C-alpha cells in the first residue's frame, strides 16, 4: 500500500506538474494515488512521441478510466488528447472531481495554449451495473484502469464491465501491482480467455517509474473467430506481432527483461520485497527521489503488516 498519510501527491508527467489530493482520513482505497497509475502515465510519456500513443492519434478519441480513484491514469490520457470519462464508485467521486477540476484549471493557467489537452469528465460506474454502463454510451476507443485488480470477488464484474465497454477497435490499458499470486493467476486466465493480451516489457517503461511487481497490460477483444492477432507498433513504426513469450514468462513468475531487478517470484509474496544491498547503499548516501521514497514506504508498510500478522 502506498502511504496514504500525505494529503497531496505532486507528479510531473507529460510536460505538466500535476497535483492529486488524497484523503488521509478515509479508509476507502480510491482516496490514495496508487503507484501503478504513475507507472502507466510515465509509460505513456515515454512512448508518446511516435506510434499508437502519440497525441495526433489520440486527439478526440473516447477513453474511460475504471476505478479511477484520484484520477491519475485518466488524466494522462486526457493530456495526450483523449476525451476521458473518469469513473468510480459514488464515495470517491467528490475527491476525483476536485482533482480533475484543479489540475485542468492549473494547466489552463500555466499553459493556456496546450492544444494537445483533451477533456475529462467524471461519472459514477459500479462495475457490472448495466444502467451505469449504458449511460456512458459504449464502446470506447480506450479503457484504462490501474490497481483495480486486487480482490477475487471483483474479477468477474470488472471483466463484464470491460467487455461491455469494448468494441472491436478498443484498446485496453491496465496496470497493477501484484499482491496475490492467486488473484493474479485468476485474472490472467480470465483476461486471456477474452482478450488478446500483451505484457509491456520493462524496457518500454520509464527507467525510473517501474518496479518488478508492477505490470502493464495492453489488450484488445479477441476476434469472434479467435484468430485475431493484435499487432503493435515497435519504436521504428513497423508492426510486429505480440510477443507471447513475455506472457509465458510472466506466468512462470519471471520477467527476464528485467533480470537486474529480480523476478516476480521475489516480490509477489506477502513476505515483503527483497531489499537489495545497492538500494540500501543509495538510501544511506543519496537523497531519495519521490518515487524511491514511495516504493520504500510501500515496502515498509508491507513489512509492518506482516510483522503484525505473525
Ligand atoms: C486500489 S484503488 C486504485 C485507484 C486508482 N485507480 C489508482 O491507481 O490510484 C481501486 C479503485 O477501484 C475502485 N473500485 C473497487 N471496486 C469497484 C467497483 N465494484 N466498481 C467500481 N469501482 C470500484 C475503488 O473505488 C478504487 O478507486
Amino acid at each position: 500500500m502506498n502511504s496514504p498519510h500525505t494529503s497531496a501527491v505532486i507528479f510531473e508527467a507529460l510536460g505538466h506538474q500535476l497535483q492529486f489530493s488524497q484523503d488521509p482520513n478515509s479508509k476507502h482505497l480510491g482516496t490514495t494515488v496508487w503507484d501503478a497509475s504513475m507507472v502507466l502515465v510515465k509509460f505513456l510519456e515515454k512512448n508518446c512521441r511516435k506510434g499508437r500513443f502519440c497525441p495526433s492519434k489520440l486527439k478526440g478519441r473516447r477513453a474511460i478510466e475504471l476505478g479511477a480513484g484520484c484520477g491519475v491514469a485518466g488524466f494522462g490520457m486526457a493530456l495526450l488528447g483523449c476525451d476521458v470519462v473518469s469513473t468510480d464508485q459514488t464515495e470517491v467521486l467528490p475527491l476525483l472531481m476536485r482533482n480533475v477540476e484543479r489540475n485542468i484549471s492549473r494547466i489552463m493557467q500555466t499553459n493556456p495554449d496546450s492544444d494537445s489537452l483533451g477533456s475529462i469528465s467524471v461519472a459514477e460506474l459500479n462495475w457490472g451495473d448495466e444502467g451505469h454502463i449504458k449511460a456512458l454510451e459504449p464502446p470506447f476507443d480506450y479503457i484504462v484502469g490501474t490497481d483495480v485488480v486486487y480482490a477475487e470477488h471483483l474479477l468477474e464484474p470488472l471483466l463484464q464491465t470491460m467487455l461491455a465497454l469494448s468494441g472491436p477497435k478498443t484498446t485496453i490499458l491496465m496496470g497493477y501491482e501484484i499482491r496475490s499470486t492467486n488473484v493474479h493467476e485468476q485474472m490472467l486466465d480470465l483476461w486471456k480467455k477474452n482478450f488478446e493480451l500483451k505484457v509491456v516489457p520493462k524496457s518500454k517503461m520509464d527507467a525510473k517509474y517501474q518496479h518488478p511487481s508492477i505490470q502493464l497490460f495492453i489488450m484488445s477483444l479477441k476476434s469472434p473467430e479467435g484468430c485475431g492477432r493484435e499487432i503493435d507498433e515497435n519504436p521504428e513504426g513497423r508492426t510486429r506481432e505480440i510477443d507471447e513469450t513475455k506472457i509465458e514468462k510472466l506466468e512462470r513468475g519471471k520477467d527476464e527483461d528485467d533480470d537486474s531487478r529480480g523476478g516476480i517470484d521475489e516480490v509477489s509474496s506477502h513476505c515483503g520485497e527483497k531489499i537489495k544491498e545497492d538500494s540500501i547503499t543509495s538510501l544511506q548516501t543519496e537523497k531519495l527521489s519521490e518515487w524511491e521514497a514511495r516504493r520504500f514506504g510501500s515496502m515498509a508498510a508491507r513489512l509492518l503488516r506482516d510483522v503484525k500478522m505473525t
Side-chain angles (χ1 to χ4, degrees), residues 28-30 32-34 37 65-70 88-89 92 125-127 146-148 150 154:
H28 200 288
L29 295 177
T32 302
V33 171
W34 290 62
S37 64
E65 179 173 16
L66 304 179
C70 297
D88 209 310
Q89 294 173 309
V92 183
L125 171 50
N126 266 318
W127 302 333
T146 55
D147 265 324
V148 288
Y150 53 91
L154 294 174

Side-chain angles (χ1 to χ4, degrees), residues 29 89 127 148-160 190:
L29 295 177
Q89 294 173 309
W127 302 333
V148 288
V149 178
Y150 53 91
E152 201 174 335
H153 72 279
L154 294 174
L155 288 174
E156 194 57 39
L158 176 63
L159 172 72
Q160 293 313 325
L190 277 180

